[in-house]
Amino acid sequence: TGKSYMLYQQIKKLIVDGVSLNQIAYVNFEDERLLEVTADDLNMILEVSIELSGTNNKPYLFLDEIQEVEQWEKCINSARVDFDCDIYITGSNAKLLSGELASYLGGRYVEFVVFPFSFEEYLESIKQEKEEVSVTEEFKNYLEMGGMPFLVNLRYDKDASMQCLRDVYNSVLLKDVVQRNNIRDVELLERMILYLLDNVGHSFSARSISNYLKQENRKVSSFESFVNSEECKTGSTS
């Protein structure tokens, strides 16, 4: 939804305010050259960046998709304690949920949650591409395609935009949900997601999902066992 772009904007603002480029370090840990970075490597990156900023200059460290580094929080906490520096991090919900930040960083952080465009923001982006805009027509498009900011780069071309959204969906499903929860039956998960999407605005229950899966000729014995278990009934698990 634009986390990296917000970092770029902050970097640009620092430069406009007179901060030297030597004081600014930006690292994207989704770069394929950094896929095997360890906590020790991250410590070295931080130390070198701080050293390059100069003795009397404040370093500004921008670390994109920090969750890709195991035990990153120890490195960040150490740099924050040992040096007078500003640290900006972004992370995907796959491994960096809001509730976990407090335990990772001891509550000493300011969090910004980035959302896709609202309809008003979507209209503003559309007006950059079109001289005349039909609010009614664009609202239909907004309901269909949503407000992912990257679609501006595609000029909201329908085919290209839908392909981009499919890629985002697959990335969130496979990378965030499946990996985080160690889900083995991905096809079953996809069927459940489609059922929930088809029933937006309608009440549903675990039993209705079970009935749907039966209609789809899927084995639901393990799902039904969980639904009927005491821990599910008492709400002791999620």
Side-chain angles (χ1 to χ4, degrees):
T1 57
K3 300 187 300 296
S4 298
Y5 190 77
M6 288 190 69
L7 291 189
Y8 303 153
Q9 288 180 313
Q10 182 61 27
I11 291 172
K12 182 177 180 180
K13 181 178 183 302
L14 289 173
I15 294 173
V16 170
D17 290 343
V19 175
S20 168
L21 286 176
N22 290 336
Q23 297 172 247
I24 301 171
Y26 170 83
V27 184
N28 184 350
F29 290 101
E30 284 194 326
D31 189 310
E32 61 181 12
R33 295 167 294 181
L34 302 174
L35 295 181
E36 303 298 326
V37 166
T38 65
D40 289 337
D41 297 327
L42 176 55
N43 269 327
M44 182 178 66
I45 290 172
L46 295 175
E47 290 173 2
V48 170
S49 300
I50 291 170
E51 182 179 343
L52 288 175
S53 68
T55 306
N56 299 317
N57 295 323
K58 185 174 186 175
Y60 297 85
L61 311 176
F62 294 83
L63 309 173
D64 212 350
E65 302 295 353
I66 190 68
Q67 81 283 343
E68 297 297 333
V69 182
E70 294 291 338
Q71 298 184 322
W72 62 267
E73 63 274 11
K74 295 180 179 179
C75 305
I76 298 301
N77 280 327
S78 177
R80 185 180 59 189
V81 171
D82 295 340
F83 302 98
D84 177 23
C85 58
D86 279 1
I87 304 175
Y88 301 79
I89 65 173
T90 73
S92 135
N93 281 349
K95 301 178 183 176
L96 200 61
L97 295 174
S98 299
E100 296 169 347
L101 279 176
S103 58
Y104 286 157
L105 302 178
R108 296 181 292 274
Y109 65 93
V110 177
E111 179 184 8
F112 297 91
V113 181
V114 184
F115 294 100
F117 286 159
S118 65
F119 181 56
E120 181 180 5
E121 292 168 328
Y122 168 84
L123 280 180
E124 289 181 10
S125 66
I126 283 291
K127 288 175 182 177
Q128 297 177 15
E129 302 294 332
K130 301 179 180 179
E131 293 184 2
E132 297 184 3
V133 174
S134 167
V135 175
T136 302
E137 187 65 30
E138 293 305 334
F139 185 65
K140 293 179 182 177
N141 292 332
Y142 180 74
L143 288 177
E144 182 178 0
M145 295 190 294
M148 295 298 286
F150 185 77
L151 301 186
V152 175
N153 298 321
L154 304 177
R155 297 181 180 274
Y156 291 103
D157 176 79
K158 185 64 68 69
D159 292 337
S161 295
M162 296 308 295
Q163 181 59 53
C164 175
L165 293 175
R166 280 191 289 269
D167 292 342
V168 171
Y169 169 82
N170 289 327
S171 175
V172 170
L173 178 68
L174 297 177
K175 184 177 178 182
D176 292 3
V177 178
V178 173
Q179 287 187 9
R180 182 181 180 86
N181 297 282
N182 297 316
I183 294 174
R184 287 173 293 181
D185 195 339
V186 178
E187 194 267 341
L188 176 60
L189 173 65
E190 287 186 298
R191 284 176 181 263
M192 291 177 62
I193 291 174
L194 289 175
Y195 172 80
L196 298 178
L197 291 174
D198 284 340
N199 287 275
V200 170
H202 298 277
S203 297
F204 61 87
S205 64
R207 180 65 58 205
S208 64
I209 297 176
S210 175
N211 292 335
Y212 164 75
L213 294 175
K214 287 181 179 179
Q215 293 174 3
E216 293 289 306
N217 297 318
R218 285 300 310 244
K219 293 181 179 180
V220 294
S221 56
S222 58
F223 182 80
E224 289 184 325
S225 297
F226 170 73
V227 170
N228 294 320
S229 66
E230 285 301 318
E231 58 180 355
C232 181
K233 292 178 181 178
T234 58
S236 58
T237 188
S238 58

